[in-house]
Amino acid sequence: MCGIAGWFDRELDIRSQEKIIGEMSDSMYSRGPDEGGVFLDRDIAMIHRRLAVIDIEKGSQPMVRKRGEETYVIVYNGEIYNSPELREELSSLGYSFGSECDTETVLLSYIHWGEDCIQKLSGIFAFAVYECKSKKIFLARDRAGVKPLFYYQYKEGIIFSSQIQTILKNPLIPHHVTEDGLYELFFLGPGRTPGSGVVKNISELRPGEYAVYSEGRLIKKAYFSLKAREFEYDSKKTIKLIREVVTDSITRQLVSDVPLFCFLSGGLDSSIISLVASEHFRERGERLVTYSVDYKDNDIYFRKNEFQPTPDSEFIGIMTDHISSEHKNIVLDNYDLFTALTSACEARGLPGMTDVDSSLLLFCREIKKRHTVGLSGECADELFAGYPWYHRPEFLRSDSFPWSPTLDIRRSLLKKDILPRGEEYVHEKYLDTCRCTDRLSTDSPLEARRREMFALNYYWFMQTLLEEKDIKEKLSFFITPDNPVGNYNFQIRQGRRSVCAYTP
């Protein structure tokens, strides 16, 4: 996990704005504590904070390459899973590499294919490339929206970053929230409308979107969206295909120059990942380390529900015995969860997922004592229809976001006549997603509704979980009585995703 930012202004000499650039960089320290770099020219600052995972010595950024008359500068955050194949193809086209890092793969891909490079990349990423001669900026975000990329456009230029807080460090930007921003916070939060940055005039590239900024204009293009297609395989071939894709996805993420582990909850997703990873480690003569989390007195207070019918602990032991992992069970205290709520909210930068945020933060703190990179099965339920609302008729028939069927509690927090359009605002966002869902003419009403449910989960619920994982790395100061300044930063890779929790 890294942090990227940039500031382009046609009128201002940005070289004279060292203090602001330094503050922008410092605000991303938790995303990249290992190294920081800035590329400066009269009208551009490209800023990078690095968490070093692969090719620690040669992967510094911003990375600069010259080709013909043009000089290209990149700041990049992500992982490219088909990097070996792309490097081989680019080498055959006459390009040479000076490192093993993905950054160079992405930069040379852009130099050769231009905007079309985005179709060649398989992975999770947010990056910006600046062309010094043409003064053009290319911004891109991965298909699933794992890596964040926000921007603020104004008359003379554009400011972008991995996080809203960094953009707000620039004094050009007023700290205002519009009425729509309040609807986002009070009625949709912790979710956000795709593309919304909540703060006035701050936007976010949507999943599967890229943009080109040139001559004062920002042109955005969608290069990926969910499409409905006929499914042609029988069950036997389907099982074989899914096994191959999932195994390949996991294996490609077991590349790291720093210690790597797996989260293990006992569920299907984390169990499959841990199994594949353990076999890979065993082939190298190593033993996989797994971690799970539990809560003090959970055996007394656990109550089954639709999302968790049984405690995790019943299945974790079965898996650790089967894969022979070195397992660590971390038990969290409920009081500590409470005291971490404020810190977790500060890390997100916006109101978040309460105890879910604080528990992940504390869990990651303990893991960081030994490990830097982890694999998680987060968001498998969104992709493989694991939630009740994919199957239960009462959810499928409802005319609202299935995870938030009523807004009564939210409404009760506000005085009468405050934000009067809240319910209408949420319902319209819900309908927008349903209307845009791709369908087949042969779909039955049930099949069409399930496509809508998948789109709602992909563009809303899954994005919230991805953001929740991503922001944990932003917490610079986690305060406890015995740890006045806690520094935690590591990378969590999940499915075809990657995120972090905080830093030193």
Side-chain angles (χ1 to χ4, degrees), residues 120-140:
K120 307 279 285 187
L121 304 177
S122 173
I124 53 175
F125 51 80
F127 67 90
V129 178
Y130 179 65
E131 299 182 30
C132 296
K133 184 178 180 180
S134 62
K135 300 188 184 303
K136 182 171 77 172
I137 303 173
F138 180 78
L139 303 168

Side-chain angles (χ1 to χ4, degrees), residues 375-396:
L375 272 67
S376 164
E378 190 72 81
C379 294
D381 287 313
E382 285 76 13
L383 300 178
F384 290 97
Y387 292 123
W389 50 67
Y390 281 108
H391 314 286
R392 297 270 293 273
E394 62 269 32
F395 288 117
L396 290 168

